[in-house]
Amino acid sequence: MEAAWIIATILGGLGLFFAGSDMLTGNLRSLANRRIQQEIARVASSIPAGLMWGAILGAITQSTQIVTFILVGLLMARMIDARRALPMIVGANVGASVIIFVVTLDIEIVVLMALGGSGILMTMQRFQNWQAVLRAVFGLCLLYYGLVLLKMGAAPIAEEPFFKEMMAGAGGSPMAALAIGAALTLISQSSVSVSLLAIAFAASGLLSFEQTVMVAYGTNLGSSIATWLLSGQIRGTARQVAMYQFSFNIVGCIVLVPLFYTETLFGFPPLMAAVQSLSDDVGQQIAFAYLFFNMIAGFVLLPLIGPSERLLARLYPPTEQEDESRLAYLSDHVAGNPEIALIMAEKEQLRLLQRLPRYIDVPRLPEAGQRGRRMAELREAFRSVHRQAGIYIDDLADDRLVAENHERVYRIVDRHSRLETLEAALAEFAEAAPLLQGSAALEDIRIALVEGLDAVLLSFVEAMESGDPEDMALIQRITGDRGDLMEGVRRQFLSDETVSLGREEKLGLLQLTGLFERLIWMLREMTQKAPLAITQEES
C-alpha cells in the first residue's frame, strides 16, 4: 500500500509539474506585449542585473529547477533571450545555496495561498482582464507544488534501510560520497534533504567532514541531472537554458573535485580549511562549502557567457518550428521609425500570406496523425508571428497615426484582422477535407475543391507579392461569387436519388462547400480592400 502511495504521489507530482510548466509558458506568452518585453529586457539588461535577479529568484523559490523552468517559460514566450537568461542561472545557483542556512524557512504556505487565491480569482467575473496573470501564477504554483509532491513521494525512500546503507557506504571513499550524493538527490528530488542527512551522519561520526563535503558536491550534480531529465521534452533555444543549468554543476565538479584531492594530498589550496575556519558547527561548515561550490562555478562561467551562448546555440539551435514562429522584419530597432515600421509590418503580413498554401498540403498527407501534427505546427507558427506582429501594429495605430500615414495604417490593421479569420477558415477547410476521403461518391468533388482552392491561393499570393494590376484583376475575376456554383454542387449530390449519401457524408459536403465558398469570398475581399502597399510601391 505504501509503495502504491509513493508511486501515485510521484506520478501526481510529475503531472502537476508538466501541467504547471505548460500553463505558465502559455500564459506568459499571452502577456508578452512589447512594453513587458522591454521591462524584462531592462531589468536583465546587464550581467550584474541578471545575477542579482537570478539570486533573488533562487533565494525565494529555494530551487534552481524552478528558476530554470521559469526562464524556459520566458524564453518560450519570447519575453527574454538566452543571453540574458544565462547570468540569471548563475545567480539562481548562488541564491538557492542560502537554503542550507535558512532551511527552516518554508514557502509552501505562501505557494498554497497563492494557488488558492489565484484559483478563486480566476473564477470571478470582475477579474476577467487579469486572467493571463492569474493563470500564470496558478501554473507557477502547480509547477512548484509538483516538485513538492515529487519530494513527498520520494521522502519515505530516505527512511529505507538501503538508502541509509548507501549513505553510510560513502564512508569508504570521497568519490563514492560524490556518487551517492548525486544518486540520492536524483532519487529524493531534494538536494537539501540529502545534504541535511549527510550533515546528520557527519555529526554522528558516520562521515568525515571531507566525505560530507563530497556528498554536498554530489547533491549539486544530482540536482542538475534531475533538471536534465525533466527538460527532456524541451527543444531549441529553451533547451539551451536547461542545459546551461545542467553544465553549471558539471563545471563545478570538474573544478572543485580536483581541488579537493589536491588539498587532501598537498594541503593546497586551503579551501576546506577556510570553510572549517568560518564556523565550529559542521552544519554551517557544509552550508559554506555548498555556497562556495556555486560561487566558484559561477566565477568560472561568468567570463565565458559569450562563448557559452555560442556553444549552446550550435549544440541546441532553434528548431525549424521556432524559426517559423519568430518575426523576421519587425523589431524594437525599426519600431522607432514609423515609415520603416509600416514597411516591415507589411513584409511580416506578406510572410503570413505566403504560408497559407501550405495548409492545403495537409489533407494530402496519408495518415491522420501526420495531418494533426502538421496542422498544429502550421497554426502555432502562424499565430505566434501574427500575435507578435500585432503588438507592433497596435502600437503604430495607437501612437504613430498621422495624416500622412493613417490610410496605410488602417489597411495594415484591417489586413491583420482579415489574416486571422482567413487562417482560421483555411485550417477548418484543411481539417474537414479528409473527412470525405473514404466516400466513393464524393471523392472527385473533394479533390476538385482541394486542388481548386490550392490554385486560387497560389495565384492570390503571387498577385499580392507582385502587386501587378493585371494579376490583381485576375484574382478579382477568379474569386468572383461562387455561391451559385456551390449551391449547384450541393443540389446535385443531395437531391440526386441515384447517389446514396450517409448522414456524415452530407454534413461533410455541406461543410466543405460552405468553407470553400467563404474562403473564395475572403480572398476577394482582401484583394479589394487590403492590398499590400509595399508591392504596389515596388511595382
Side-chain angles (χ1 to χ4, degrees):
M1 186 68 180
E2 184 178 357
W5 183 89
I6 291 172
I7 293 171
T9 306
I10 290 173
L11 285 176
L14 286 170
L16 287 178
F17 175 83
F18 287 117
S21 179
D22 185 69
M23 197 171 185
L24 175 67
T25 298
N27 286 282
L28 283 175
R29 186 177 289 124
S30 68
L31 287 170
N33 63 52
R34 192 157 65 93
R35 289 185 176 87
I36 290 178
Q37 291 173 348
Q38 290 172 333
E39 185 63 21
I40 291 174
R42 185 186 65 79
V43 299
S45 59
S46 64
I47 289 178
L51 286 171
M52 181 186 72
W53 286 106
I56 291 171
L57 278 173
I60 291 173
T61 63
Q62 304 178 14
S63 171
T64 54
Q65 285 181 4
I66 290 178
V67 176
T68 299
F69 286 99
I70 288 174
L71 293 174
V72 165
L74 291 171
L75 265 168
M76 293 176 72
R78 294 170 185 83
M79 297 174 74
I80 194 171
D81 57 33
R83 189 172 186 82
R84 289 186 171 93
L86 299 189
M88 296 181 75
I89 289 289
V90 176
N93 279 274
V94 176
S97 300
V98 302
I99 187 174
I100 304 295
F101 294 101
V102 290
V103 71
T104 56
L105 180 63
D106 186 358
I107 68 166
E108 285 184 34
I109 294 175
V110 176
V111 171
L112 286 172
M113 291 179 67
L115 183 69
S118 59
I120 292 169
L121 294 177
M122 279 162 53
T123 64
M124 295 184 177
Q125 189 65 33
R126 70 177 68 179
F127 293 101
Q128 288 303 304
N129 293 336
W130 291 84
Q131 284 296 303
V133 174
L134 292 171
R135 289 177 184 275
V137 172
F138 193 82
L140 176 60
C141 294
L142 287 182
L143 187 153
Y144 182 91
Y145 204 66
L147 289 176
V148 170
L149 277 183
L150 278 173
K151 294 173 186 177
M152 286 175 58
I157 298 174
E159 301 301 321
E160 293 293 322
F162 86 90
F163 191 95
K164 293 183 178 180
E165 288 171 9
M166 284 180 67
M167 183 63 78
S173 78
M175 288 306 293
L178 179 79
I180 289 172
L184 295 183
T185 299
L186 194 58
I187 293 170
S188 67
Q189 290 291 308
S190 174
S191 59
V192 175
S193 61
V194 175
S195 296
L196 292 175
L197 187 60
I199 289 170
F201 274 55
S204 64
L206 288 173
L207 294 177
S208 68
F209 168 76
E210 290 78 8
Q211 291 155 354
T212 310
V213 168
M214 289 296 276
V215 170
Y217 289 175
T219 63
N220 284 283
L221 180 61
S223 176
S224 278
I225 295 172
T227 299
W228 175 67
L229 292 174
L230 288 171
S231 66
Q233 294 180 333
I234 300 171
R235 296 290 182 269
T237 304
R239 178 78 169 167
Q240 296 173 20
V241 172
M243 294 311 295
Y244 188 75
Q245 167 58 28
F246 170 74
S247 64
F248 182 93
N249 288 327
I250 300 295
V251 168
C253 288
I254 290 172
V255 172
L256 285 163
V257 171
L259 289 179
F260 172 90
Y261 277 101
T262 302
E263 184 174 0
T264 302
L265 294 173
F266 305 109
F268 184 86
L271 182 60
M272 287 187 292
V275 166
Q276 288 177 300
S277 69
L278 292 172
S279 174
D280 294 328
D281 179 74
V282 67
Q284 292 291 307
Q285 290 172 359
I286 301 304
F288 278 116
Y290 196 89
L291 177 63
F292 286 173
F293 178 97
N294 289 287
M295 290 181 66
I296 291 170
F299 285 138
V300 171
L301 286 174
L302 269 181
L304 303 174
I305 288 288
S308 297
E309 181 193 12
R310 291 189 290 273
L311 176 61
L312 289 167
R314 284 199 298 272
L315 293 175
Y316 308 100
T319 61
E320 182 181 350
Q321 179 72 10
E322 202 173 345
D323 285 334
E324 289 284 317
S325 301
R326 289 176 172 170
L327 294 174
Y329 301 102
L330 283 170
S331 65
D332 289 340
H333 177 69
V334 303
N337 187 317
E339 292 184 6
I340 295 177
L342 288 172
I343 295 171
M344 296 299 107
E346 291 197 327
K347 285 183 175 291
E348 294 289 0
Q349 291 179 334
L350 181 58
R351 279 182 71 215
L352 292 175
L353 283 171
Q354 290 166 339
R355 296 180 183 189
L356 296 179
R358 300 179 193 175
Y359 285 61
I360 301 300
D361 291 330
V362 173
R364 296 170 177 148
L365 295 173
E367 297 179 5
Q370 287 180 301
R371 293 195 294 269
R373 288 190 297 272
R374 181 55 178 157
M375 180 57 69
E377 291 171 356
L378 288 172
R379 299 210 71 184
E380 183 182 349
F382 187 99
R383 288 169 174 173
S384 177
V385 173
H386 187 275
R387 175 186 54 78
Q388 292 176 78
I391 294 168
Y392 289 93
I393 290 169
D394 288 345
D395 284 350
L396 284 171
D398 291 341
D399 304 329
R400 307 295 173 88
L401 195 61
V402 295
E404 291 79 12
N405 67 15
H406 74 276
E407 184 177 350
R408 187 170 186 177
V409 171
Y410 168 77
R411 282 194 174 185
I412 289 174
V413 172
D414 180 50
R415 188 185 307 112
H416 214 62
S417 176
R418 291 176 186 274
L419 274 168
E420 184 176 23
T421 54
L422 178 61
E423 185 271 345
L426 188 56
E428 191 177 352
F429 179 91
E431 290 169 346
L435 299 178
L436 299 181
Q437 211 161 24
S439 171
L442 298 177
E443 178 65 9
D444 289 343
I445 189 63
R446 183 192 71 84
I447 293 174
L449 290 174
V450 170
E451 300 304 325
L453 183 59
D454 190 19
V456 173
L457 266 176
L458 290 171
S459 298
F460 167 77
V461 171
E462 185 178 340
M464 294 292 277
E465 286 174 340
S466 69
D468 184 88
E470 292 185 4
D471 290 342
M472 300 299 280
L474 174 63
I475 294 300
Q476 293 288 327
R477 290 194 298 273
I478 65 176
T479 57
D481 186 9
R482 299 297 178 95
D484 292 340
L485 177 61
M486 290 297 102
E487 182 59 31
V489 170
R490 289 189 285 265
R491 190 180 300 114
Q492 174 189 346
F493 283 93
L494 297 178
S495 60
D496 190 344
E497 295 181 356
T498 63
V499 179
S500 178
L501 297 179
R503 180 175 178 276
E504 295 300 321
E505 289 176 309
K506 292 177 181 179
L507 290 175
L509 176 65
L510 290 171
Q511 183 183 16
L512 204 61
T513 54
L515 285 167
F516 182 90
E517 185 179 347
R518 182 181 172 204
L519 283 162
I520 295 297
W521 175 82
M522 292 169 74
L523 294 175
R524 180 181 178 84
E525 286 287 297
M526 186 175 288
T527 306
Q528 288 178 332
K529 299 179 180 179
L532 286 162
I534 51 169
T535 55
Q536 293 175 343
E537 290 170 358
E538 290 170 359
S539 59

